[in-house]
Amino acid sequence: DVRTEREWNEGHIEGAIHIHGGLLQERFEDVPRDQAVAVVCGSGYRASIASSFLKREGYADVTNILGGMTAWKAAGYPVVT
């Protein structure tokens, strides 16, 4: 989850790791390399940038959650605070 702290606190996907998008390049070590990584933001734009950073860094299995948390919530999927 590459959203802001405020956005994260308003609700996020259970089990997600919160790394603000602006800090991702300093925190690659916090993102597991041995499993698939799904990146989410509010609408998908910031996640697409973050996904590109991860792929450039050699992460093989990276997915951008299309529509971001807006689509996640609209679909009725659960969030935690």
Side-chain angles (χ1 to χ4, degrees), residues 10-29:
E10 290 174 353
H12 54 272
I13 299 169
E14 185 172 358
I17 298 170
H18 180 235
I19 302 174
H20 185 279
L23 301 176
L24 179 60
Q25 293 182 83
E26 301 167 14
R27 296 189 49 199
F28 285 130
E29 71 279 356

Side-chain angles (χ1 to χ4, degrees), residues 31-39 51 54 59-65:
V31 181
R33 290 182 177 270
D34 61 343
Q35 60 191 30
V37 176
V39 185
S51 295
L54 290 167
Y59 287 79
D61 194 356
V62 179
T63 301
N64 175 11
I65 304 298

